[in-house]
Amino acid sequence: MRNLKLLQTLEFRDIQAPGRPQCISLRTEQSTVLIGSDHGLIEIDPVTREVKNEVSLVSEGFLPEDGSGCIVGIQDLLDQESVCMATASGDVILCNLSTCQLECVGSVASGISVMSWSPDQELVLLATGQQTLIMMTKDFEPIMEQQIHQDDFGESKFITVGWGRKETQFHGSEGRQAAFQVQMYESALPWDDHRPQVTWRGDGQFFAVSVVCPETGARKVRVWNREFALQSTSEPVAGLGPALAWKPSGSLIASTQEKPNQQDIVFFEKNGLLHGHFTLPFLKDEVKVNGLFWNADSTVLAVWLEDLQRGENCTLKTYVQLWTVGNYHWYLKQSLPFSTCGKSKLVCLMWDLVTPYRLHILCQGWHYLCYDWHWTTDRSSGDNSSDMANVAVIDGNKVLVTVFQQSVVPPPMCTYRLLLPHPVNQVMFSAHPKKSNDLAILDASNQISVYKCDDSPSVDLTVKLGAVGGNGFKVSLRTPHLEKRYKLQFENGEDQEINPLKFSLITWIQEDVFLAVSYSPSSPQSAIHHLTVAPSEADDEHRQLHISSSVTVDGVIISLCCNSKTKSVALQLAGGQILKYFWESPSLAVEPWKNPGGFPVWFPYPCTQTELAMIGGEECVLGLSDRCRFFINDTEVASNITSFAVYDEFLLLTTHSHTCQCFCLRDASFNTLHAGLSSSHVSKGESLRKVERGSRIVTVVPQDTKLILQMPRGNLEVVHHRALVLAQIRKWLDKLMFKEAFECMRKLRINLNLIHDHNPKVFLENVETFIRQIDSVNHINLFFTELKEEDVTKTMYPPPVTSAVQLSRDPDGKKVDLICDTLRVAMESINPHKYCLSILTSHVKKTTPELEIVLQKVHELQGRTPPVPDAVSAEEALKYLLLLVDVNELYDHSLGTYDFDLVLMVAEKSQKDPKEYLPFLNTLKKMETNYQRFTIDKYLKRYEKAIGHLSKCGPEYFSECLNLVKDKNLYKEALKLYPSDSQQYKDISIAYGEHLTQEHLYEPAGLVFARCGAHEKALNAFLASGSWQQALCVAAQLNLTKDQLADLGRTLAGKLVEQRKHGDAATVLEQYAKDYEEAVLLLLEGAAWEEALRLVYKYNRPDIIETNVKPSILEAQKNYMALLDSQTATFSRHKKRLLVVRELKEQAQQVNLDDEVPQGQESDLFSETSSVLSGSDMSGKYSHSNSRISARSSKNRRKAERKKHSLKEGSPLEDLALLEALNEIVQSTEKLKDEVHNILKMLFLFEFDEQGRELQKAFEDTLQLMERSLPEIWTLTHQQNSATPVLGPNSTANSIMASYQQQKTSVPVHDAELFIPPKINKRTQWKLSLLE
C-alpha cells in the first residue's frame, strides 16, 4: 500500500551543443551523462550543469555534415576507460574521453540498426542491415554471426506425446471445426518501425530479440543464450508491438499487444509462452508504445507512450508512466505528460543503473531531466478517535482509500475509490489534527482536488464504494465528497511543458494553504512556496493556487515533514542537513535544526522517510535511509530498520530480524532507544514481538490496538502489539472505562488481574462501576477465576516507566480475598439474586475456599418458595458449583456441615453410586449426635474436631479417644478438653510425657510428668536431661531417705562432670552427698580455684591445700606454659608460610596476565600441579568436584571440606587454610585471658611469684606477637578485594573488567569471612599488677 513520491528533480536546460540529441547513456563512476547527437558525443555533469567533454564525429568523417547521421547506441566501458558508439552507417567507434581520441574498431557495410552490450560488458551484439546478428567479445573479436530470422523453434522446443491434443478438446460454441482452423497471422502494427529490438536478462545469460517476420509480417520474440544458441520462439501473438524489456530479475519479458478494444502490456516467459498482462488506460489506436524500461531492482516498469494523430488541430502528447505490481495487481503510480513538438519532445529515457528509483529523461531541445522517487505510505496522521486511519493508494486516475478504523480490506480492494479526471501523482492528507480524514489529490494536469469528510448529505458520483458495499447492505461508512478543485498556477508557462513535475513534496498545512518545493533549473538551490487562493477567487469555481510567498534555500530539499501540534516543518537537504521552517512566522525564516546540545543536526546519509516526534520532551527528527539506517537527530540508533511509524507517544519499527519493536517516547532518551534497538539478546518484554518475514508498517489505528502490516507479496496482516494493547488498556482503566478494557483483555488474552493491579485503590473504590459496566455474570465469574495473589504489574506487565504514585496494596498480601469480599458486598447491595453465581464464585475463589458458606447458600435457595425475578435455582447453582469445585471435595464439605439433606443434594449431582453413600448415611443417622459428628470428622480426617466431639460422649469412650490422640499426636489439643484435676487429664499427660521421652525431649517430658503429679517418671526424665535442680525438687516431693538422696546426688554429679559442669557437680556433692573432699577435687579439676579454697576453709581442712591445691596450681601453670609455647611456634610458622605463598601467587599472576588462565569449571581441563593458582580458579574447581559427592554422607562432606582447606604445602587453597588456622589460634588465645588471670591470682597467693611472672610474661609476649602480626596477615588489599562487589546496579562493563584485571581472584562467599581479621580486646584486664 505504498506510492511513489518524488524525492527531487534535477534539470539541465538548454545544453550548449550542436545538432539534435538522439540517445543517452550513463557513466556511473563519474556521475555524468553521455548524449549522442547527429554531430557527435558530449558528456555533461547534471549537478554542476556544465559540458565536460565534446567529441565531434562529423569532423572525423563518421557522421555526415548535413545532420542525417544517426548514433544507434552508446555504452560506457569501465574496463577500457572509453565509450563505445555505433552509427547507423555501420561504424563501431571507441572514444577515449580523457584524450578525445577516436578509433574505429570495426565496420558493417550493411549498416547497424542495434548495438546492445551484455550487462557484464563481456559481449556485444550488433543487428545489421542484412537482417543478421553479430556477437563479439568486449575486444571486438567476432564470435558468430547468425540470421535474425530462424525457422527452428529453438532448443527448448516443447515435446508432445499426443495427450490433450487440440483436436480432442471441447471448443464450446465454436464447434469442433475450431480445432482444425488455420492460424491467421496479423501483420505488424501500422506505426511499427520494423526495427529489431534487443534486451538482455539481468545476469547476461540470455537475450531476447523482437523482429518482424518477413513471411508473416508479424512480430516474433526469440530468446538466445549467451553461446548464441536459439532457445525458444514466442507463440503467435496478434498485434504484438516492438517494445521489449527483460525484467532484470529474470522471470518475465515485457512487450506490448494491441487488442480490438484495448492496449495491453504482456509478459512472456523464457520459453516463449505468454504469462500475464495488464491493460493501459488508453483505447485502441489512441497511443503507441515507444519503449518499456525496467528499473534496476525490477519493481517499477516505465512505459513510454505517444499519442497517435487523431485530427489536425488536436494537441499530441507523450507520456511516461510508472507501473508497479502488488498482490498480482498492476498500479499506475506516476504519469508524466510531455509535448510531442518543440523542445519538450522526448528523445530517450533510461533508469539509473545504481540508484533504482532514478529516471533520466532527455528532451529534443537539449533539455535533461532527472527524477528521484522513493516509496511512501500516504496515511492520515491524526491521533484522536475522529481519525479513521485512512491509507490512500494511487492507481492511475483512481485513489483507493482503505479505512482501517472500520474494516481491514486487503489490496487491491479498498473501502472506497475516488475517481479523478486525470492520472494521480500525489495524495496529501490534511495536517490539521481534527481534519486528518480530509485529503487533497494532485493529478497529472497539475490540478488539486480536495475531498472532505463531513456530514454532507449530498452524494458524490466521483466516490464509489469498494469491498464494503453490496446489495441490501446499509453502509455505515461516512464517505468524503469533492469540495473543490484548484489549478496550480506557474509563474512561467514554459515550466509546465518542460517539467511536468515542477512542484514536489506538496503538503496541505491549512485550509486553502499548501506548501510546495521547486528546484532551480540552473543552480543547486530550492524554493519553498506558499500556495494560496486569491481572495477574489475564493468562491470561484475555477480557483487557482498562486505562489503567495517563497523562501530560497541553498541546497536541494529531498524531504519535508511537519508536526501539526508544534507547527514546525523539518526540511532535509541532499547533503543531510536538517533545516527548521517556521511557516506561521511573518518573516518565513529558515534556520538550522539544532539538537538539545545546541549543535546543527546533519543526517550522515540522506533519508527517504522523515518524521517529527517528541522524545523526552524534545522535538526530534527521525529519519530512515534506503539502506535501512535509522537516525534520531544526527545519531544512528540502528542499521536494520525496514519501516517505522510514529503514533501518539509511541515509535514502532520493523527490523530485518523479522521483529516489530515499540518504544514509548514520553520518557525515553537516545541511550534507551539505542540500547533497545542494538541489544543482541531477544527481549521477552512487551516492546518486541515477532512478525512475518519482510513485514512493513502500513498504519496504526488511533485509540485502538491494531497495527496494520503489509507482507512483501502485498497482503495485509493485523497484529495487536502488546505495548499498544497495554497502553490503551491503561488509558481505559485510568478513565474508569472497565467494559472496553475488559473486552479487549478477554479478546487478546491479557491477564485480567491487571484491572485491579493497575491501580488497586481506584479499582476497590469503584467496584460498583465495574460491576454495572460489565453487567454480565459470566464475565464477572471469568474475572474471579483469573484472580491470583501475583501482582502482574511487577511480573507479566511491568509499566514502561515506574509510576511516581505509590499505590496502596494490602500489606498481608491477601489480594484475592480482599477483591472477593469487596465485589461480593457490592453485588449483594446491587442485586443479590442476579449475581448469585458470582457471589458463590467469590466465596470459592478465596485463599481458603468457604465451601461451607457456599453450600449453605445453595441450601437456602432450595428452601425459597416464591420465585424471585432474575433468581437462580438451587439446582443451577449446584450445577455451576460443580464446575468450580471437585465433586468429591464438595461432597466432603457438605458432609462436614452435618446436614444430611445438603449431603444428599450434592451426592445426587455427583457420579457417586447410591449403594456407596446411602448405607453410610443411614448408619450415621442411627448414631448419637456427638458420636455421629465424631465419626464424620474422623472420616473427613478432621481429627481435632473429632476428639472434641468424642470427649463429649462420656467416659466409656475415653479409651478410644486416648488411642486417637496417641495415633494422631493430638496431646496439646486433648489436654484442653479435660479439667486439670481429672483422671483423663492425668492419663493424657502421662501419655504425652512418654511420647516426649521417646522423642528424647527429656526436660519437657519431666515438666509434663511433674505437672500431673507423676513424680517418679518426672525424676527419671530430669535425670536423663541433666536438670539437677528440677530432679532434686522432685526428689524432695518423693520423700527419699538420706542414703537414697546421697546416691541420687552422686549420680547427678557424674552426669554433670560429663557435661564439664564441675561447679554444679561440686555443689550437688557437697550439699546432698555430704562429700566435700570429692567436691574440692572436682573444683580443682575444673580450675575453680577460689570456690575450692572456700570449701577447704569452710570445712577447716588446710591440709588439702598442701596435698591437692598447690600441686594442681603448679600443674596448671606448666600446662599453660606448654600451651603458649606451642601456640606461639605454630603461629609464627603459619605466618611465615602465608607470606611465602602470597608472594608466589603474585608472581604467578604476573606471568599469567597475558595468558588469561581459564576461570571457573573449565580449569579442570588444565594442570593442577601448580601450587600458586588463584583462589577463584580453585574454588571453581572444588565446587565442581564437590558436587559429585554432595549426595554422600555428612562425614564425607566434612572430610572434603577439610581436604579443601588443607595445610599441606602446595595444596590449591593453602593460603585460605593458613588464614583459617591463624584465626583459630588468635581466637583461642583471646579466650585464655580470664583463665590466666585467675591462675595468676592463685600463684601470687601461694607465693609462687616466679612461676606467676613467667606465665604472665609468656602470655603477654604471645599477645603482642599476635597484635603486631595482624596487619601483615590480614592486609588492607585482601580485605577490600573480599568486600568490594564487582557486580551491581552501579557497575559498568569497564568497572567489572577493571576489577577483574586488578584482583584476578574472587573468593567464594563462604570463605569471605576468613579475610576479616580477628579482634583482640585490649580492655580486658588479665594482668596482675602485683607480679610486675
Side-chain angles (χ1 to χ4, degrees), residues 206 347 491 647 818 864 874 1037:
F206 297 92
V347 173
E491 295 178 348
Y647 159 68
L818 181 62
R864 182 179 297 148
Q1037 297 180 45

Side-chain angles (χ1 to χ4, degrees), residues 311-322:
E312 297 182 359
N313 299 324
C314 60
T315 305
L316 301 181
K317 288 191 175 182
T318 305
Y319 308 95
V320 176
Q321 294 184 341
L322 305 185

Side-chain angles (χ1 to χ4, degrees), residues 393-434:
V393 179
I394 296 173
D395 187 13
N397 63 344
K398 300 185 294 291
V399 175
L400 313 180
V401 181
T402 303
V403 182
F404 286 105
Q405 178 74 270
Q406 295 190 335
S407 61
V408 178
V409 182
M413 295 186 291
C414 60
T415 307
Y416 56 82
R417 301 185 299 274
L418 306 180
L419 306 180
L420 281 299
H422 303 281
V424 177
N425 283 338
Q426 189 179 344
V427 177
M428 302 81 70
F429 282 96
S430 175
H432 195 285
K434 295 183 179 179

Side-chain angles (χ1 to χ4, degrees), residues 149-375:
H149 303 291
Q150 298 281 332
D151 296 331
D152 188 21
F153 179 87
E155 293 181 358
S156 301
K157 184 177 181 179
F158 303 115
I159 299 174
T160 176
V161 293
W163 297 337
R165 289 186 301 171
K166 194 169 186 180
E167 293 86 347
T168 65
Q169 303 302 306
F170 175 68
H171 298 282
S173 60
E174 295 182 3
R176 192 162 181 264
Q177 63 272 16
F180 305 100
Q181 287 181 358
V182 180
Q183 178 69 42
M184 300 296 294
Y185 293 97
E186 293 188 16
S187 59
L189 297 173
W191 45 267
D192 195 333
D193 57 5
H194 289 249
R195 291 179 56 190
Q197 300 288 332
V198 179
T199 179
W200 287 82
R201 200 169 77 170
D203 58 0
Q205 297 300 312
F206 297 92
F207 63 89
V209 181
S210 173
V211 292
V212 177
C213 181
E215 298 177 359
T216 63
R219 274 203 176 261
K220 286 187 177 181
V221 178
R222 290 185 174 88
V223 177
W224 309 70
N225 67 5
R226 192 181 179 89
E227 285 73 31
F228 215 175
L230 179 64
Q231 297 297 299
S232 62
T233 304
S234 67
E235 61 178 298
V237 178
L240 190 65
L244 196 69
W246 200 319
K247 196 174 183 179
S249 61
S251 55
L252 298 173
I253 305 169
S255 187
T256 65
Q257 181 186 11
E258 191 168 285
K259 293 184 178 178
N261 295 310
Q262 64 190 41
Q263 289 258 26
D264 283 358
I265 301 294
V266 295
F267 300 103
F268 289 95
E269 295 180 358
K270 185 169 70 72
N271 57 14
L273 296 181
L274 285 171
H275 183 94
H277 72 278
F278 67 87
T279 303
L280 295 172
F282 298 99
L283 299 176
K284 177 179 170 62
D285 297 330
E286 192 174 347
V287 294
K288 65 175 181 178
V289 180
N290 289 339
L292 299 173
F293 307 89
W294 289 99
N295 73 331
D297 61 1
S298 304
T299 55
V300 183
L301 177 63
V303 183
W304 174 13
L305 306 109
E306 185 177 337
D307 283 337
L308 293 174
Q309 187 71 38
R310 295 190 297 272
E312 297 182 359
N313 299 324
C314 60
T315 305
L316 301 181
K317 288 191 175 182
T318 305
Y319 308 95
V320 176
Q321 294 184 341
L322 305 185
W323 293 81
T324 65
V325 66
N327 241 13
Y328 305 102
H329 176 80
W330 284 89
Y331 298 87
L332 173 56
K333 293 297 184 184
Q334 295 283 307
S335 182
L336 284 66
F338 292 87
S339 174
T340 57
C341 57
K343 295 182 178 181
S344 59
K345 181 181 179 180
L346 280 186
V347 173
C348 59
L349 67 144
M350 69 176 296
W351 288 101
D352 196 272
L353 303 176
V354 178
T355 307
Y357 301 105
R358 177 173 293 170
L359 183 66
H360 304 271
I361 296 177
L362 183 64
C363 297
Q364 187 169 319
W366 287 100
H367 181 53
Y368 166 80
L369 287 167
C370 177
Y371 294 108
D372 277 12
W373 279 279
H374 70 94
W375 291 111

Side-chain angles (χ1 to χ4, degrees), residues 679-954:
S679 59
S680 58
H681 67 280
V682 178
S683 173
K684 303 296 183 185
E686 65 184 55
S687 65
L688 182 140
R689 68 161 289 158
K690 290 281 187 182
V691 293
E692 191 175 334
R693 181 186 296 269
S695 300
R696 293 177 183 271
I697 296 173
V698 176
T699 188
V700 184
V701 179
Q703 305 300 316
D704 203 345
T705 60
K706 286 188 288 191
L707 170 64
I708 314 298
L709 300 173
Q710 187 169 27
M711 305 305 110
R713 58 186 175 273
N715 60 310
L716 300 181
E717 184 174 313
V718 180
V719 299
H720 297 267
H721 199 291
R722 184 53 57 91
L724 295 178
V725 171
L726 293 177
Q728 188 60 46
I729 289 172
R730 291 178 183 121
K731 290 179 183 178
W732 279 329
L733 293 177
D734 289 338
K735 297 176 182 178
L736 302 182
M737 298 169 66
F738 294 112
K739 183 177 179 61
E740 291 79 359
F742 184 89
E743 290 293 341
C744 178
M745 295 169 77
R746 190 169 70 96
K747 183 172 66 175
L748 300 177
R749 301 292 183 88
I750 304 296
N751 194 293
L752 296 177
N753 282 272
L754 185 62
I755 296 177
H756 167 269
D757 296 343
H758 174 67
N759 194 330
K761 183 173 182 294
V762 171
F763 174 78
L764 294 174
E765 289 173 354
N766 296 275
V767 288
E768 287 197 16
T769 308
F770 171 75
I771 293 168
R772 293 183 190 278
Q773 285 188 16
I774 301 300
D775 198 38
S776 167
V777 175
N778 290 335
H779 289 174
I780 294 174
N781 291 342
L782 180 64
F783 174 71
F784 275 128
T785 54
E786 281 206 20
L787 286 178
K788 53 185 177 181
E789 293 295 342
E790 174 188 348
D791 184 358
V792 296
T793 60
K794 294 180 179 176
T795 54
M796 299 172 68
Y797 313 118
V801 181
T802 305
S803 175
V805 181
Q806 294 295 324
L807 305 177
S808 63
R809 303 197 181 272
D810 189 27
D812 297 333
K814 300 293 184 184
K815 178 184 92 171
V816 176
D817 291 353
L818 181 62
I819 297 173
C820 289
D821 294 339
T822 309
L823 279 174
R824 184 174 61 254
V825 171
M827 288 185 290
E828 288 173 347
S829 64
I830 296 173
N831 189 340
H833 305 298
K834 176 182 177 181
Y835 298 109
C836 176
L837 297 182
S838 299
I839 292 171
L840 296 180
T841 311
S842 69
H843 285 291
V844 174
K845 284 304 294 179
K846 293 191 72 171
T847 310
T848 304
E850 300 172 343
L851 294 182
E852 289 84 356
I853 299 176
V854 171
L855 289 167
Q856 198 59 44
K857 290 193 174 184
V858 172
H859 194 43
E860 291 172 4
L861 289 175
Q862 193 176 25
R864 182 179 297 148
T865 45
V868 182
D870 297 331
V872 179
S873 66
E875 187 175 350
E876 291 176 358
L878 191 58
K879 193 174 180 180
Y880 169 74
L881 204 57
L882 291 175
L883 297 174
L884 299 178
V885 187
D886 180 63
V887 63
N888 295 317
E889 185 181 355
L890 199 62
Y891 174 80
D892 291 344
H893 276 86
S894 64
L895 195 60
T897 62
Y898 316 117
D899 186 340
F900 290 102
D901 294 338
L902 194 59
V903 175
L904 284 171
M905 186 175 70
V906 174
E908 287 170 359
K909 292 294 180 185
S910 70
Q911 300 296 321
K912 287 180 176 293
D913 188 354
K915 293 180 181 179
E916 294 179 8
Y917 63 82
L918 283 180
F920 176 62
L921 295 179
N922 292 332
T923 305
L924 290 174
K925 287 181 180 178
K926 295 175 184 178
M927 296 179 182
E928 188 266 333
T929 305
N930 286 322
Y931 196 77
Q932 177 194 83
R933 295 186 175 183
F934 157 73
T935 308
I936 291 173
D937 289 330
K938 186 178 178 182
Y939 172 78
L940 298 177
K941 298 182 180 180
R942 300 190 301 192
Y943 299 111
E944 291 186 28
K945 283 189 175 183
I947 61 173
H949 290 302
L950 192 57
S951 66
K952 300 175 184 177
C953 292

Side-chain angles (χ1 to χ4, degrees), residues 117 121-124 135-143:
W117 284 80
Q121 295 189 353
E122 292 291 329
L123 300 174
V124 59
M135 180 179 282
M136 295 187 290
T137 66
K138 64 179 179 180
D139 299 323
F140 303 100
E141 296 177 359
I143 296 175

